Every structure is written in structure tokens, then in C-alpha cells.
PDB file of all heavy atoms in Angstrom:
ATOM      1  N   ASP A 228       0.846  -1.195  -0.017  1.00  0.00           N
ATOM      2  CA  ASP A 228       0.016   0.004  -0.011  1.00  0.00           C
ATOM      3  C   ASP A 228       0.880   1.181   0.002  1.00  0.00           C
ATOM      4  O   ASP A 228       2.092   1.150   0.160  1.00  0.00           O
ATOM      5  CB  ASP A 228      -0.971  -0.021   1.216  1.00  0.00           C
ATOM      6  CG  ASP A 228      -2.137   0.900   1.091  1.00  0.00           C
ATOM      7  OD1 ASP A 228      -2.659   0.918  -0.070  1.00  0.00           O
ATOM      8  OD2 ASP A 228      -2.502   1.608   1.997  1.00  0.00           O
ATOM      9  N   ASN A 229       0.269   2.447  -0.158  1.00  0.00           N
ATOM     10  CA  ASN A 229       1.050   3.619  -0.275  1.00  0.00           C
ATOM     11  C   ASN A 229       0.270   4.808   0.427  1.00  0.00           C
ATOM     12  O   ASN A 229      -0.676   5.274  -0.107  1.00  0.00           O
ATOM     13  CB  ASN A 229       1.331   3.946  -1.655  1.00  0.00           C
ATOM     14  CG  ASN A 229       2.079   5.247  -1.889  1.00  0.00           C
ATOM     15  OD1 ASN A 229       2.730   5.748  -0.951  1.00  0.00           O
ATOM     16  ND2 ASN A 229       2.037   5.781  -3.119  1.00  0.00           N
ATOM     17  N   SER A 230       0.823   5.255   1.536  1.00  0.00           N
ATOM     18  CA  SER A 230       0.274   6.445   2.207  1.00  0.00           C
ATOM     19  C   SER A 230       1.198   7.646   2.060  1.00  0.00           C
ATOM     20  O   SER A 230       0.939   8.663   2.771  1.00  0.00           O
ATOM     21  CB  SER A 230       0.064   6.101   3.708  1.00  0.00           C
ATOM     22  OG  SER A 230      -0.857   5.107   3.892  1.00  0.00           O
ATOM     23  N   ASP A 231       2.229   7.613   1.295  1.00  0.00           N
ATOM     24  CA  ASP A 231       3.175   8.686   1.137  1.00  0.00           C
ATOM     25  C   ASP A 231       2.457   9.936   0.669  1.00  0.00           C
ATOM     26  O   ASP A 231       1.553   9.921  -0.177  1.00  0.00           O
ATOM     27  CB  ASP A 231       4.248   8.363   0.148  1.00  0.00           C
ATOM     28  CG  ASP A 231       4.993   7.069   0.455  1.00  0.00           C
ATOM     29  OD1 ASP A 231       4.770   6.569   1.541  1.00  0.00           O
ATOM     30  OD2 ASP A 231       5.785   6.617  -0.361  1.00  0.00           O
ATOM     31  N   PHE A 232       2.883  11.109   1.148  1.00  0.00           N
ATOM     32  CA  PHE A 232       2.398  12.343   0.677  1.00  0.00           C
ATOM     33  C   PHE A 232       3.398  13.474   1.012  1.00  0.00           C
ATOM     34  O   PHE A 232       4.420  13.232   1.663  1.00  0.00           O
ATOM     35  CB  PHE A 232       1.017  12.631   1.355  1.00  0.00           C
ATOM     36  CG  PHE A 232       1.115  13.143   2.845  1.00  0.00           C
ATOM     37  CD1 PHE A 232       0.876  14.435   3.181  1.00  0.00           C
ATOM     38  CD2 PHE A 232       1.359  12.203   3.825  1.00  0.00           C
ATOM     39  CE1 PHE A 232       0.959  14.860   4.523  1.00  0.00           C
ATOM     40  CE2 PHE A 232       1.399  12.563   5.169  1.00  0.00           C
ATOM     41  CZ  PHE A 232       1.205  13.906   5.532  1.00  0.00           C
ATOM     42  N   TRP A 233       3.159  14.667   0.446  1.00  0.00           N
ATOM     43  CA  TRP A 233       4.122  15.780   0.667  1.00  0.00           C
ATOM     44  C   TRP A 233       3.299  17.063   1.093  1.00  0.00           C
ATOM     45  O   TRP A 233       2.112  17.163   0.821  1.00  0.00           O
ATOM     46  CB  TRP A 233       4.950  16.033  -0.511  1.00  0.00           C
ATOM     47  CG  TRP A 233       4.176  16.494  -1.792  1.00  0.00           C
ATOM     48  CD1 TRP A 233       3.626  15.728  -2.693  1.00  0.00           C
ATOM     49  CD2 TRP A 233       3.896  17.878  -2.165  1.00  0.00           C
ATOM     50  NE1 TRP A 233       2.920  16.511  -3.650  1.00  0.00           N
ATOM     51  CE2 TRP A 233       3.127  17.887  -3.308  1.00  0.00           C
ATOM     52  CE3 TRP A 233       4.272  19.114  -1.569  1.00  0.00           C
ATOM     53  CZ2 TRP A 233       2.699  18.989  -3.917  1.00  0.00           C
ATOM     54  CZ3 TRP A 233       3.873  20.275  -2.205  1.00  0.00           C
ATOM     55  CH2 TRP A 233       3.065  20.184  -3.404  1.00  0.00           C
ATOM     56  N   GLU A 234       4.069  17.923   1.747  1.00  0.00           N
ATOM     57  CA  GLU A 234       3.488  19.235   2.146  1.00  0.00           C
ATOM     58  C   GLU A 234       4.444  20.333   1.825  1.00  0.00           C
ATOM     59  O   GLU A 234       5.680  20.175   1.959  1.00  0.00           O
ATOM     60  CB  GLU A 234       3.234  19.312   3.659  1.00  0.00           C
ATOM     61  CG  GLU A 234       2.049  18.484   4.165  1.00  0.00           C
ATOM     62  CD  GLU A 234       1.786  18.676   5.610  1.00  0.00           C
ATOM     63  OE1 GLU A 234       2.751  18.620   6.397  1.00  0.00           O
ATOM     64  OE2 GLU A 234       0.663  18.927   6.000  1.00  0.00           O
ATOM     65  N   ALA A 235       4.015  21.479   1.367  1.00  0.00           N
ATOM     66  CA  ALA A 235       4.780  22.674   1.275  1.00  0.00           C
ATOM     67  C   ALA A 235       4.483  23.540   2.509  1.00  0.00           C
ATOM     68  O   ALA A 235       3.338  23.480   2.993  1.00  0.00           O
ATOM     69  CB  ALA A 235       4.375  23.435  -0.026  1.00  0.00           C
ATOM     70  N   TYR A 236       5.476  24.225   2.968  1.00  0.00           N
ATOM     71  CA  TYR A 236       5.219  25.009   4.197  1.00  0.00           C
ATOM     72  C   TYR A 236       5.894  26.362   4.215  1.00  0.00           C
ATOM     73  O   TYR A 236       6.855  26.643   3.482  1.00  0.00           O
ATOM     74  CB  TYR A 236       5.712  24.195   5.447  1.00  0.00           C
ATOM     75  CG  TYR A 236       7.200  23.791   5.441  1.00  0.00           C
ATOM     76  CD1 TYR A 236       8.173  24.664   5.781  1.00  0.00           C
ATOM     77  CD2 TYR A 236       7.555  22.473   5.064  1.00  0.00           C
ATOM     78  CE1 TYR A 236       9.515  24.332   5.803  1.00  0.00           C
ATOM     79  CE2 TYR A 236       8.897  22.103   5.098  1.00  0.00           C
ATOM     80  CZ  TYR A 236       9.861  23.023   5.438  1.00  0.00           C
ATOM     81  OH  TYR A 236      11.214  22.732   5.411  1.00  0.00           O
ATOM     82  N   ALA A 237       5.367  27.245   5.070  1.00  0.00           N
ATOM     83  CA  ALA A 237       5.898  28.514   5.338  1.00  0.00           C
ATOM     84  C   ALA A 237       5.771  28.726   6.819  1.00  0.00           C
ATOM     85  O   ALA A 237       4.739  28.613   7.392  1.00  0.00           O
ATOM     86  CB  ALA A 237       5.149  29.627   4.582  1.00  0.00           C
ATOM     87  N   LYS A 238       6.941  29.096   7.447  1.00  0.00           N
ATOM     88  CA  LYS A 238       6.977  29.338   8.870  1.00  0.00           C
ATOM     89  C   LYS A 238       7.545  30.749   9.062  1.00  0.00           C
ATOM     90  O   LYS A 238       8.616  31.078   8.497  1.00  0.00           O
ATOM     91  CB  LYS A 238       7.771  28.300   9.586  1.00  0.00           C
ATOM     92  CG  LYS A 238       7.417  26.862   9.290  1.00  0.00           C
ATOM     93  CD  LYS A 238       8.399  25.891   9.956  1.00  0.00           C
ATOM     94  CE  LYS A 238       8.148  24.455   9.605  1.00  0.00           C
ATOM     95  NZ  LYS A 238       9.164  23.501  10.154  1.00  0.00           N
ATOM     96  N   ALA A 239       6.940  31.500   9.991  1.00  0.00           N
ATOM     97  CA  ALA A 239       7.457  32.836  10.267  1.00  0.00           C
ATOM     98  C   ALA A 239       7.293  33.123  11.791  1.00  0.00           C
ATOM     99  O   ALA A 239       6.447  32.475  12.403  1.00  0.00           O
ATOM    100  CB  ALA A 239       6.641  33.932   9.518  1.00  0.00           C
ATOM    101  N   SER A 240       8.188  33.947  12.279  1.00  0.00           N
ATOM    102  CA  SER A 240       8.162  34.298  13.710  1.00  0.00           C
ATOM    103  C   SER A 240       8.697  35.670  13.893  1.00  0.00           C
ATOM    104  O   SER A 240       9.467  36.216  13.073  1.00  0.00           O
ATOM    105  CB  SER A 240       8.906  33.306  14.614  1.00  0.00           C
ATOM    106  OG  SER A 240      10.311  33.361  14.279  1.00  0.00           O
ATOM    107  N   TYR A 241       8.319  36.302  15.028  1.00  0.00           N
ATOM    108  CA  TYR A 241       8.771  37.593  15.410  1.00  0.00           C
ATOM    109  C   TYR A 241       9.147  37.642  16.866  1.00  0.00           C
ATOM    110  O   TYR A 241       8.329  37.253  17.728  1.00  0.00           O
ATOM    111  CB  TYR A 241       7.636  38.655  15.124  1.00  0.00           C
ATOM    112  CG  TYR A 241       8.145  40.110  15.495  1.00  0.00           C
ATOM    113  CD1 TYR A 241       8.929  40.799  14.687  1.00  0.00           C
ATOM    114  CD2 TYR A 241       7.642  40.656  16.642  1.00  0.00           C
ATOM    115  CE1 TYR A 241       9.367  42.063  15.022  1.00  0.00           C
ATOM    116  CE2 TYR A 241       8.031  41.965  17.037  1.00  0.00           C
ATOM    117  CZ  TYR A 241       8.902  42.644  16.186  1.00  0.00           C
ATOM    118  OH  TYR A 241       9.326  43.922  16.561  1.00  0.00           O
ATOM    119  N   ALA A 242      10.321  38.000  17.148  1.00  0.00           N
ATOM    120  CA  ALA A 242      10.851  38.052  18.542  1.00  0.00           C
ATOM    121  C   ALA A 242      10.519  39.408  19.101  1.00  0.00           C
ATOM    122  O   ALA A 242      11.194  40.474  18.795  1.00  0.00           O
ATOM    123  CB  ALA A 242      12.315  37.824  18.592  1.00  0.00           C
ATOM    124  N   VAL A 243       9.494  39.546  19.941  1.00  0.00           N
ATOM    125  CA  VAL A 243       9.096  40.775  20.600  1.00  0.00           C
ATOM    126  C   VAL A 243      10.201  41.279  21.434  1.00  0.00           C
ATOM    127  O   VAL A 243      10.565  42.434  21.524  1.00  0.00           O
ATOM    128  CB  VAL A 243       7.798  40.612  21.352  1.00  0.00           C
ATOM    129  CG1 VAL A 243       7.407  41.883  22.022  1.00  0.00           C
ATOM    130  CG2 VAL A 243       6.668  40.086  20.448  1.00  0.00           C
ATOM    131  N   THR A 244      10.771  40.335  22.241  1.00  0.00           N
ATOM    132  CA  THR A 244      11.973  40.531  23.102  1.00  0.00           C
ATOM    133  C   THR A 244      12.859  39.369  22.854  1.00  0.00           C
ATOM    134  O   THR A 244      12.411  38.272  22.313  1.00  0.00           O
ATOM    135  CB  THR A 244      11.593  40.688  24.542  1.00  0.00           C
ATOM    136  OG1 THR A 244      11.159  39.419  25.061  1.00  0.00           O
ATOM    137  CG2 THR A 244      10.455  41.711  24.744  1.00  0.00           C
ATOM    138  N   PRO A 245      14.081  39.365  23.386  1.00  0.00           N
ATOM    139  CA  PRO A 245      14.923  38.139  23.246  1.00  0.00           C
ATOM    140  C   PRO A 245      14.282  36.924  23.889  1.00  0.00           C
ATOM    141  O   PRO A 245      14.685  35.828  23.597  1.00  0.00           O
ATOM    142  CB  PRO A 245      16.272  38.577  23.975  1.00  0.00           C
ATOM    143  CG  PRO A 245      16.265  40.062  23.745  1.00  0.00           C
ATOM    144  CD  PRO A 245      14.836  40.495  23.911  1.00  0.00           C
ATOM    145  N   ALA A 246      13.328  37.147  24.826  1.00  0.00           N
ATOM    146  CA  ALA A 246      12.785  35.989  25.539  1.00  0.00           C
ATOM    147  C   ALA A 246      11.377  35.632  24.999  1.00  0.00           C
ATOM    148  O   ALA A 246      10.952  34.477  25.280  1.00  0.00           O
ATOM    149  CB  ALA A 246      12.694  36.254  27.033  1.00  0.00           C
ATOM    150  N   LEU A 247      10.675  36.498  24.326  1.00  0.00           N
ATOM    151  CA  LEU A 247       9.313  36.225  23.901  1.00  0.00           C
ATOM    152  C   LEU A 247       9.229  36.309  22.390  1.00  0.00           C
ATOM    153  O   LEU A 247       9.479  37.269  21.760  1.00  0.00           O
ATOM    154  CB  LEU A 247       8.360  37.315  24.512  1.00  0.00           C
ATOM    155  CG  LEU A 247       6.901  37.215  24.160  1.00  0.00           C
ATOM    156  CD1 LEU A 247       6.322  35.929  24.699  1.00  0.00           C
ATOM    157  CD2 LEU A 247       6.069  38.321  24.713  1.00  0.00           C
ATOM    158  N   THR A 248       8.722  35.175  21.855  1.00  0.00           N
ATOM    159  CA  THR A 248       8.517  35.077  20.367  1.00  0.00           C
ATOM    160  C   THR A 248       7.170  34.580  20.004  1.00  0.00           C
ATOM    161  O   THR A 248       6.618  33.656  20.649  1.00  0.00           O
ATOM    162  CB  THR A 248       9.585  34.089  19.840  1.00  0.00           C
ATOM    163  OG1 THR A 248      10.914  34.553  20.155  1.00  0.00           O
ATOM    164  CG2 THR A 248       9.453  33.933  18.273  1.00  0.00           C
ATOM    165  N   PHE A 249       6.584  35.172  18.994  1.00  0.00           N
ATOM    166  CA  PHE A 249       5.279  34.775  18.418  1.00  0.00           C
ATOM    167  C   PHE A 249       5.493  34.281  16.981  1.00  0.00           C
ATOM    168  O   PHE A 249       6.354  34.869  16.353  1.00  0.00           O
ATOM    169  CB  PHE A 249       4.237  35.821  18.446  1.00  0.00           C
ATOM    170  CG  PHE A 249       3.771  36.260  19.840  1.00  0.00           C
ATOM    171  CD1 PHE A 249       4.303  37.412  20.380  1.00  0.00           C
ATOM    172  CD2 PHE A 249       3.008  35.434  20.552  1.00  0.00           C
ATOM    173  CE1 PHE A 249       3.864  37.766  21.685  1.00  0.00           C
ATOM    174  CE2 PHE A 249       2.567  35.789  21.866  1.00  0.00           C
ATOM    175  CZ  PHE A 249       3.018  37.001  22.418  1.00  0.00           C
ATOM    176  N   GLY A 250       4.819  33.280  16.539  1.00  0.00           N
ATOM    177  CA  GLY A 250       4.929  32.774  15.175  1.00  0.00           C
ATOM    178  C   GLY A 250       3.730  32.264  14.524  1.00  0.00           C
ATOM    179  O   GLY A 250       2.606  32.200  15.171  1.00  0.00           O
ATOM    180  N   GLY A 251       3.836  31.899  13.291  1.00  0.00           N
ATOM    181  CA  GLY A 251       2.772  31.360  12.552  1.00  0.00           C
ATOM    182  C   GLY A 251       3.263  30.397  11.473  1.00  0.00           C
ATOM    183  O   GLY A 251       4.385  30.548  10.961  1.00  0.00           O
TER     184      GLY A 251
END
């Protein structure tokens, strides 16, 4: 059988401070 698949992705983040980061 064959369950193989692929994904394209984009990841981004912003460091508000050196300790706090938000991303998507």
C-alpha cells in the first residue's frame, strides 16, 4: 500500500523581546 504524501510549508516568527517570540 502507499500512504506517502508531501507538504509545502511557510513558517514565520517575530521576537518581541529576546525572551518572547510569536509565530505562525
Side-chain angles (χ1 to χ4, degrees):
D228 200 42
N229 178 21
S230 298
D231 302 351
F232 74 106
W233 65 272
E234 287 184 313
Y236 58 80
K238 307 174 185 179
S240 65
Y241 179 78
V243 180
T244 71
L247 180 62
T248 301
F249 293 103

